[in-house]
Amino acid sequence: MRKNRKFRQTRYSQLIQTTLIVLVLLISFLLTSVQAQSAVKYAPVAVDGRLVFRVSSNEQSKAQERAKFITSQLQAVVKSHEAPDIRIEQRNDSPIILVNGRYLLTVTQNDIDSADSPQEQARVWVQQIEDAIQKAQGERGAEFIRNTSILSVVIVLMAVGVNRLLGILWQLTQHRVSQMLVSANSSSDNQVQNTSRFLLKAILISARVLLWVGVSLYITNLFPLTREWSYNITIRIISSLTSPIFSLGQKAYSLTDIFILIVLLLGLIIFAGATTNLLRSRILHRTRISRGAQEAIAVICKYAFISFGTIVLLQIWGLDLSSLTIVASALGVGIGFGFQDIAKNFGSGIVLLFERPIQVGDFIEVGEYMGTVEYIGARSVVIRTLDRISIIVPNSRFLETEVINWSHRNPVSRIHLPVGLAYGSDVNLVKTALIEAAVAHPEILKLPQPQVFFKGFGESAIDFELLVWIDKPHLQTPIKSDIYFLIEASLRKHNIEVPFPQRDLNMRTGDLPIKLSPEIEQALLRLTQGVNGNGKSMK
């Protein structure tokens, strides 16, 4: 049952990692598409937010300037409600397009898209301009606005219904998943239930957000004014994202380039983590090497993969690494001053991974903390104490201070159990009783055999020490408790007494420091004589 729960948790973790990788790749693809579109030398010409055609740069002006002028002329014709009169004239071996007798643009060789010549391209654009103007003027009529408004209300009502339907489906799905988890495991792991509930809630929120975003965009594109606003906002956002903000070497970089690099690095880290987990669980687990060696190999492969992957991504991204010399020098100075602790811990982590004085699964004691090593990272080590509390300890502490490793190379260790018994006890019988108590515990090793040492004579007891050997150092605290229970039973069985602290009280019969009445002095003397008669040493 515990293995099944762990398997389900692993499947959920792999599902989340796969989803994150897909999202990262999708975002990277979208950003790359935006960057590719912006990198084209053409600029769009639109009427009421609808793309008509694209123009390029010429000798007199840039593509964006030409597109802005043409768009303003076409919008003026649409708002004038005049029937468009579009003609083509030949001037200086180049076709010129005129709208209502006004100059619109000159078609050059650079503007050719799918046509064979500027003249043919001009005829194609004339037809596209006529269609765009007629459609834009038709959308400004009262009948179109009334019908579109009714359609928008119907779409909003349908979206409200779909939104409520999504909520009902989410409740049914959540109830069914909860029943499946409970039927699969009667104890019902809370972590698995919380993870499934979180995934379902995230899917519901994403579906609702996509629904209303899609409805908003669709209704916005129905009306010419809102469509134009949406188009202008989109163009400005794309322009701001693709405009260069800084240069490295001979190449300029925009916000889109930075976003693409961040997304690619994030995807690299997620992919490296997923690959490392796969290496650890599917490959290294079957080699039957120690858990510490598996963790060391996995961590080294992860950081090596991230390091080489980062270099490759920077090269693909178009960054010349030689241009980072100054940045690397500044980073080295920063590490020397501000990040020296991080660098120290990182270097200590590398030493721990290669020298392996401690490994994952070792039971160690560092300072006031005692527990099992759960994870060895590049900066810190996670220790799980006997109280099931995770303690994060910097790596440098393991190289600067003394660390007790109960599991180093050989988990067999000896524990000490001091015992004090009453004066007059038979020491041989005491030894027998202590050995019987040690042998009765199943976790005590038969070889080496338990030993009893006579430590000396104390103030109130004879001091002994029982020494036993165990091979599970993380259980030494409960083992000590169990053995003390067995020692108490064995001592009771052999009628051996455990002493209590004793003190001698001496009183002189001379003058007391204070004056007492004769009756009290006589009473104290009689009491003292009575105590002496019972065998206590009092004067």
Side-chain angles (χ1 to χ4, degrees), residues 387-437:
D387 298 327
R388 295 298 177 182
I389 299 175
S390 296
I391 306 296
I392 302 175
V393 184
N395 288 333
S396 58
R397 186 169 179 181
F398 293 92
L399 302 180
E400 295 175 351
T401 60
E402 295 80 6
V403 179
I404 300 176
N405 190 346
W406 297 84
S407 306
H408 187 58
R409 296 182 181 177
N410 187 4
V412 175
S413 58
R414 188 171 67 175
I415 58 177
H416 300 244
L417 297 98
V419 179
L421 301 175
Y423 278 97
S425 302
D426 187 349
V427 293
N428 293 321
L429 186 60
V430 169
K431 181 177 181 180
T432 302
L434 295 180
I435 294 295
E436 288 179 358

Side-chain angles (χ1 to χ4, degrees), residues 239-538:
S239 177
S240 62
L241 291 177
T242 56
S243 299
I245 57 176
F246 69 94
S247 299
L248 283 178
Q250 298 179 352
K251 186 175 181 180
Y253 297 94
S254 62
L255 287 177
T256 306
D257 297 319
I258 298 176
F259 289 157
I260 291 175
L261 179 61
I262 293 175
V263 170
L264 290 177
L265 291 177
L266 180 61
L268 174 65
I269 295 174
I270 296 176
F271 184 74
T275 305
T276 304
N277 292 333
L278 183 65
L279 175 66
R280 185 189 296 109
S281 60
R282 299 298 177 86
I283 300 177
L284 296 178
H285 180 70
R286 297 182 179 180
T287 59
R288 296 183 179 180
I289 60 179
S290 63
R291 183 183 174 188
Q294 295 179 19
E295 196 67 24
I297 294 174
V299 172
I300 293 173
C301 292
K302 177 181 179 180
Y303 287 103
F305 187 83
I306 292 176
S307 300
F308 288 109
T310 301
I311 296 175
V312 173
L313 285 180
L314 291 177
Q315 293 285 353
I316 296 176
W317 190 60
L319 180 63
D320 186 7
L321 297 182
S322 61
S323 61
L324 297 179
T325 306
I326 300 177
V327 178
S329 302
L331 183 62
V333 175
I335 291 176
F337 289 97
F339 300 98
Q340 54 183 347
D341 290 336
I342 298 178
K344 180 173 64 175
N345 291 323
F346 183 78
S348 301
I350 295 176
V351 174
L352 292 178
L353 288 175
F354 281 96
E355 290 191 357
R356 296 168 58 192
I358 60 172
Q359 303 180 43
V360 175
D362 287 354
F363 187 77
I364 66 173
E365 182 177 354
V366 49
E368 58 182 355
Y369 304 119
M370 176 184 293
T372 304
V373 177
E374 292 291 330
Y375 174 75
I376 301 177
R379 191 193 65 83
S380 60
V381 172
V382 179
I383 301 175
R384 180 67 62 87
T385 65
L386 299 176
D387 298 327
R388 295 298 177 182
I389 299 175
S390 296
I391 306 296
I392 302 175
V393 184
N395 288 333
S396 58
R397 186 169 179 181
F398 293 92
L399 302 180
E400 295 175 351
T401 60
E402 295 80 6
V403 179
I404 300 176
N405 190 346
W406 297 84
S407 306
H408 187 58
R409 296 182 181 177
N410 187 4
V412 175
S413 58
R414 188 171 67 175
I415 58 177
H416 300 244
L417 297 98
V419 179
L421 301 175
Y423 278 97
S425 302
D426 187 349
V427 293
N428 293 321
L429 186 60
V430 169
K431 181 177 181 180
T432 302
L434 295 180
I435 294 295
E436 288 179 358
V439 174
H441 198 282
E443 297 295 338
I444 301 301
L445 300 180
K446 305 302 181 182
L447 291 175
Q449 296 180 353
Q451 295 177 307
V452 177
F453 288 168
F454 196 146
K455 300 293 291 184
F457 300 95
E459 294 183 357
S460 304
I462 307 175
D463 297 329
F464 294 88
E465 188 173 39
L466 174 63
L467 306 178
V468 294
W469 296 84
I470 60 175
D471 58 358
K472 298 178 180 178
H474 61 283
L475 298 178
Q476 57 179 277
T477 299
I479 289 176
K480 283 184 178 181
S481 177
D482 295 341
I483 294 178
Y484 274 124
F485 276 110
L486 296 174
I487 289 176
E488 194 277 335
S490 181
L491 294 177
R492 190 184 298 275
K493 174 184 176 182
H494 292 283
N495 297 321
I496 301 175
E497 296 183 0
V498 178
F500 54 87
Q502 300 180 9
R503 293 292 183 271
D504 292 337
L505 177 62
N506 297 314
M507 296 183 63
R508 297 181 180 179
T509 57
D511 294 336
L512 295 175
I514 57 176
K515 295 295 183 180
L516 301 176
S517 62
E519 293 79 3
I520 296 177
E521 290 184 359
Q522 292 298 326
L524 289 175
L525 290 175
R526 286 196 299 272
L527 179 60
T528 303
Q529 293 174 357
V531 171
N532 288 332
N534 290 331
K536 297 297 181 181
S537 175
M538 303 185 70

